[in-house]
Amino acid sequence: TRSIDLAVVAGDGIGTEVVEQGLAVLESAVAGSDVKISTTEFDLGARRWHATGETLTDEDLGRIKEHDAILLGAIGDPSVPSGVLERGLLLKLRFSLDHYVNLRPAKLYEGVTSPLANPGEVDFVVVREGTEGPYVGNGGSLRTGTPHEIATEVSINTAFGVERVVRDAFARAQARPRKHLTLVHKHNVLVHAGHLWRRTVEAVNAEFPDVTTDYLHVDAATIFLTTNPSRFDVIVTDNLFGDILTDQAAAITGGIGLAASANINPDRTAPSMFEPVHGSAPDIAGQGKADPTATVLSVALLLDHLGLTEEARRVETAVAADLAERGGRVRSTAEVGRELAARVAG
Amino acid sequence: TRSIDLAVVAGDGIGTEVVEQGLAVLESAVAGSDVKISTTEFDLGARRWHATGETLTDEDLGRIKEHDAILLGAIGDPSVPSGVLERGLLLKLRFSLDHYVNLRPAKLYEGVTSPLANPGEVDFVVVREGTEGPYVGNGGSLRTGTPHEIATEVSINTAFGVERVVRDAFARAQARPRKHLTLVHKHNVLVHAGHLWRRTVEAVNAEFPDVTTDYLHVDAATIFLTTNPSRFDVIVTDNLFGDILTDQAAAITGGIGLAASANINPDRTAPSMFEPVHGSAPDIAGQGKADPTATVLSVALLLDHLGLTEEARRVETAVAADLAERGGRVRSTAEVGRELAARVAG
Ligand SMILES: CC(C)[C@H](C(=O)O)[C@@H](O)C(=O)O
Ligand SMILES: CC(C)[C@H](C(=O)O)[C@@H](O)C(=O)O
């Protein structure tokens, strides 16, 4: 038997509801195999912060690191000042565990209605850099709250950091039928960071000569995501542009209720983390209304990352089949989870 | 007679073609009135740079400043290294002339097909900050081209700069029927800049108590632009987010061929500049194929800025009528210009 130790951070709002279903589907996927999943729950998020003032302690982080992977629901609540949990918990996890590949597939499944009139076939992945760029938290403010305030945000980009994520993106492009990589940046304005990205893509391309590449400014990318999303195969981009483009990508493929993501440490020096792209949605929390599909698809990414590719495929196939037959049916979070788990069991 | 001195920067690619038609419509709009337009052409852009190595000299800038307004076509050519003309000419104009309000209307005209299946009524304006943020050109790179390269981009935001553009946006919202202002930023990650923006919107709201406000993270804004663009009335946002959102806004309202913009200096210490959102489109340049509509709508914004509101209205009405009857007709740049000029003449 192979035992997988999973750290579970259900978090806030609908996080707990969707994670419960994600775990049920995960169990179903490995049932009857020699894989055994054990889970450890971590009490992190708004409740813990209100109770203790803590977001993520060194001890939490140390214990999380002992696991094989992390399943995260959602972080954030209106009762907590903006930035506290995002920077102190979610981004701290991504940065501390060196999740430099933030992988976000965008696929328009059969049966899902796109808000676009003519979406065509949409099936691409965004490789969003996860440990640098404008997200580093390097900034500050002076004379805060006065008419002379100045606030800065520094985007930091290193050859080391850009090269490793670009190489990962090339490898992913090479493994796909179309073998195409699009760099998205804004190198005509952000010339220093942008040219580093551009030079890196050109250099690493030599290692992947069969991968074709092109470049789009981030503003133009939002146009193509609206008018011709089929043109994309793999997108590689920085942390902030990736944040923006993946929400738009989710919107055109049926909404963030379906969008999965993986925060991957490809060097496996720390556990990778799998989470739906959506947030904690306090407006519908506790009502059993949330769609757990994004979490279930994140579980498929988790299985894949752990080398359980056959199990991953079964989970994705179950979701695809469910989406194809879903129609306008209104189901609870638990119903969707139950039906998906049943399909995975086969 | 009132004489208006217009600086014309036709620029590169299709810039010259669309500006010619924009000027023809402008002439038509003031024909028979006591307004006389005189134009001075400035040779700026790729040709000039190749010939002289200059982008925008102090002398150019001094002469441009003597005009009442600027009409700009498009800047940029693949033969010029990325960033040279953008930073050295276009952004230099916006920054030197203190164009702190970059106004970009997004309206889905009758007869225009949106790529969205159910766009609803779309009629909002984006007030994009034009002189600060990640566009300041404050950054650099160290050990460039080596494996130890580090490249930075610094976003600079001041209370002075944010407050003046936020106040302008509130005034615009107040003058519109819905009186609603949406701040777009990413204050859960870019906490310093984001909180400055948020505090400023809250403070300035006291001067405009009848304007309602809400806030969206930039990633969520791209979702709503896809699923429910009718929700927007006035958006205020920073330079980079504004760049991204206005291209997406153009895409959902029929493409950048129709998107107008105004770079406004509301204090009138220097001339404001009016330009289509699209670029120089070298692929179709010189073929008489470019749609001059975005430039003509920019001319309407120019007339409005100069207090010629009746003339501005006539130009916009002409465009609206043309769009309503356009259908699938293929017309040359000159034909569209001619027909619009004729409609404006009435
Ligand atoms: C919650 C927030 C910090 C986060 C991000 O910006 O990365 C979210 O938007 C996401 O995309 O995962
Ligand atoms: C050409 C470029 C510098 C410019 C910008 O980023 O502002 C353009 O994209 C725009 O939106 O006017």
Side-chain angles (χ1 to χ4, degrees):
Chain A
T1 50
R2 171 173 174 199
S3 105
I4 290 173
D5 292 331
L6 197 64
V8 176
V9 181
D12 303 313
I14 60 169
T16 49
E17 301 166 52
V18 294
V19 157
E20 190 183 337
Q21 302 312 318
L23 289 173
V25 174
L26 179 59
E27 278 301 343
S28 175
V30 298
S33 78
D34 63 352
V35 176
K36 219 195 114 357
I37 312 271
S38 71
T39 59
T40 315
E41 298 197 12
F42 285 82
D43 175 25
L44 297 167
R47 203 210 60 79
R48 165 93 173 267
W49 182 79
H50 281 299
T52 69
E54 293 160 345
T55 52
L56 180 73
T57 64
D58 288 348
E59 200 210 312
D60 295 326
L61 200 54
R63 285 175 54 222
I64 286 175
K65 276 191 186 154
E66 288 160 15
H67 292 76
D68 296 308
I70 306 159
L71 182 65
L72 185 139
I75 297 293
D77 190 83
S79 67
V80 183
S82 160
V84 169
L85 296 174
E86 292 89 340
R87 293 222 66 94
L89 172 50
L90 186 62
L91 297 181
K92 191 167 171 188
L93 283 168
R94 293 185 190 161
F95 277 75
S96 306
L97 305 176
D98 209 17
H99 294 153
Y100 64 83
V101 171
N102 188 332
L103 187 72
R104 300 189 161 188
K107 184 164 170 176
L108 182 60
Y109 286 96
E110 204 197 309
V112 175
T113 308
S114 170
L116 300 181
N118 297 301
E121 264 193 50
V122 186
D123 185 0
F124 63 88
V125 299
V126 179
V127 176
R128 167 186 176 192
E129 204 289 321
T131 61
E132 300 201 334
Y135 272 60
V136 290
N138 188 318
S141 68
L142 189 67
R143 306 196 186 90
T144 313
T146 79
H148 300 284
E149 177 167 351
I150 164 167
T152 62
E153 302 287 346
V154 185
S155 170
I156 300 190
N157 308 268
T158 69
F160 168 75
V162 174
E163 191 181 319
R164 61 184 187 170
V165 72
V166 164
R167 184 168 287 116
D168 182 278
F170 265 110
R172 289 180 197 278
Q174 195 170 50
R176 293 168 63 93
R178 287 192 282 165
K179 301 191 195 312
H180 187 69
L181 181 66
T182 302
L183 168 64
V184 175
H185 209 283
K186 183 80 191 178
H187 66 49
N188 57 345
V189 174
L190 308 176
V191 294
H192 306 288
H195 288 185
L196 169 59
W197 275 87
R198 193 161 68 155
R199 275 186 273 110
T200 305
V201 167
E202 278 166 20
V204 177
N205 204 350
E207 298 167 31
F208 301 88
D210 52 338
V211 175
T212 57
T213 65
D214 67 347
Y215 171 83
L216 287 176
H217 293 313
V218 60
D219 46 339
T222 70
I223 297 182
F224 283 113
L225 282 174
T226 307
T227 59
N228 185 21
S230 305
R231 83 183 289 295
F232 294 109
D233 185 19
V234 178
I235 292 175
V236 66
T237 191
D238 96 338
N239 215 334
L240 182 60
F241 297 144
D243 178 55
I244 297 169
L245 294 181
T246 56
D247 261 26
Q248 192 187 351
I252 63 170
T253 51
I256 41 175
L258 303 179
S261 86
N263 299 278
I264 301 177
N265 175 327
D267 310 327
R268 300 185 187 247
T269 56
S272 295
M273 180 165 83
F274 302 83
E275 52 163 332
V277 172
H278 64 69
S280 57
D283 50 320
I284 60 158
Q287 300 170 39
K289 278 186 187 173
D291 187 343
T293 304
T295 305
V296 171
L297 285 171
S298 303
V299 162
L301 295 173
L302 184 155
L303 286 164
D304 199 57
H305 179 73
L306 295 175
L308 301 169
T309 44
E310 167 55 23
E311 287 80 355
R313 210 193 41 76
R314 274 199 288 129
V315 172
E316 204 207 335
T317 305
V319 169
D322 181 77
L323 289 170
E325 292 169 22
R326 201 173 264 207
R329 272 191 304 155
V330 175
R331 288 174 297 173
S332 70
T333 311
E335 278 166 335
V336 177
R338 206 155 41 229
E339 294 187 27
L340 289 174
R343 279 188 199 270
V344 169
Chain B
T1 50
R2 171 172 175 201
S3 105
I4 289 172
D5 292 331
L6 197 65
V8 176
V9 181
D12 303 312
I14 62 169
T16 49
E17 303 167 51
V18 294
V19 158
E20 189 184 338
Q21 302 311 319
L23 289 173
V25 174
L26 179 60
E27 278 302 341
S28 176
V30 298
S33 79
D34 64 350
V35 176
K36 219 197 113 356
I37 312 270
S38 70
T39 58
T40 315
E41 298 197 13
F42 286 82
D43 175 25
L44 296 167
R47 202 210 60 79
R48 164 92 174 267
W49 183 79
H50 281 298
T52 69
E54 293 161 346
T55 52
L56 180 73
T57 64
D58 287 349
E59 201 210 314
D60 295 327
L61 199 54
R63 287 174 54 222
I64 286 174
K65 276 190 186 154
E66 289 160 16
H67 293 76
D68 296 309
I70 307 160
L71 182 65
L72 185 137
I75 297 293
D77 190 81
S79 66
V80 183
S82 159
V84 170
L85 296 174
E86 293 89 340
R87 294 222 66 93
L89 173 50
L90 187 63
L91 297 181
K92 191 167 171 188
L93 282 168
R94 293 186 190 160
F95 278 75
S96 306
L97 305 175
D98 210 15
H99 294 153
Y100 65 82
V101 171
N102 188 333
L103 186 72
R104 301 191 160 186
K107 185 165 169 174
L108 182 60
Y109 286 96
E110 203 196 310
V112 175
T113 308
S114 170
L116 299 181
N118 298 301
E121 264 193 50
V122 185
D123 185 0
F124 62 89
V125 299
V126 179
V127 176
R128 167 186 175 191
E129 204 288 322
T131 61
E132 299 201 335
Y135 272 60
V136 290
N138 188 318
S141 67
L142 189 66
R143 307 196 184 93
T144 313
T146 78
H148 300 285
E149 178 167 350
I150 164 166
T152 61
E153 301 288 345
V154 184
S155 170
I156 300 190
N157 308 268
T158 69
F160 168 76
V162 174
E163 191 181 320
R164 62 185 186 170
V165 72
V166 163
R167 185 169 286 116
D168 182 277
F170 266 110
R172 289 179 197 277
Q174 196 171 49
R176 294 167 62 94
R178 287 192 282 165
K179 301 190 195 311
H180 187 69
L181 180 67
T182 302
L183 168 63
V184 175
H185 209 284
K186 182 82 192 178
H187 66 48
N188 57 345
V189 174
L190 307 176
V191 294
H192 306 288
H195 288 185
L196 169 58
W197 275 87
R198 193 160 69 155
R199 274 185 273 111
T200 305
V201 167
E202 277 166 20
V204 177
N205 204 352
E207 298 167 30
F208 301 88
D210 52 338
V211 175
T212 57
T213 65
D214 68 347
Y215 170 83
L216 287 177
H217 293 313
V218 61
D219 46 338
T222 71
I223 297 182
F224 283 112
L225 283 174
T226 307
T227 59
N228 186 21
S230 305
R231 83 183 288 294
F232 295 109
D233 186 18
V234 178
I235 291 175
V236 67
T237 191
D238 96 340
N239 215 334
L240 182 60
F241 297 145
D243 177 55
I244 297 170
L245 294 181
T246 56
D247 261 27
Q248 191 187 352
I252 63 170
T253 52
I256 41 175
L258 303 179
S261 86
N263 299 279
I264 302 177
N265 175 327
D267 310 327
R268 301 186 186 248
T269 56
S272 294
M273 180 165 83
F274 301 83
E275 53 163 332
V277 172
H278 64 68
S280 58
D283 49 320
I284 60 159
Q287 300 171 39
K289 279 186 187 173
D291 187 343
T293 304
T295 306
V296 171
L297 285 171
S298 303
V299 162
L301 295 172
L302 183 155
L303 287 163
D304 199 57
H305 179 73
L306 295 174
L308 301 168
T309 45
E310 167 55 22
E311 287 80 355
R313 210 193 41 76
R314 273 199 288 129
V315 172
E316 205 208 333
T317 306
V319 169
D322 181 77
L323 289 170
E325 293 170 22
R326 199 172 266 206
R329 271 192 304 156
V330 175
R331 288 173 298 173
S332 69
T333 311
E335 278 167 336
V336 177
R338 208 154 42 227
E339 295 186 28
L340 289 174
R343 280 187 199 269
V344 169

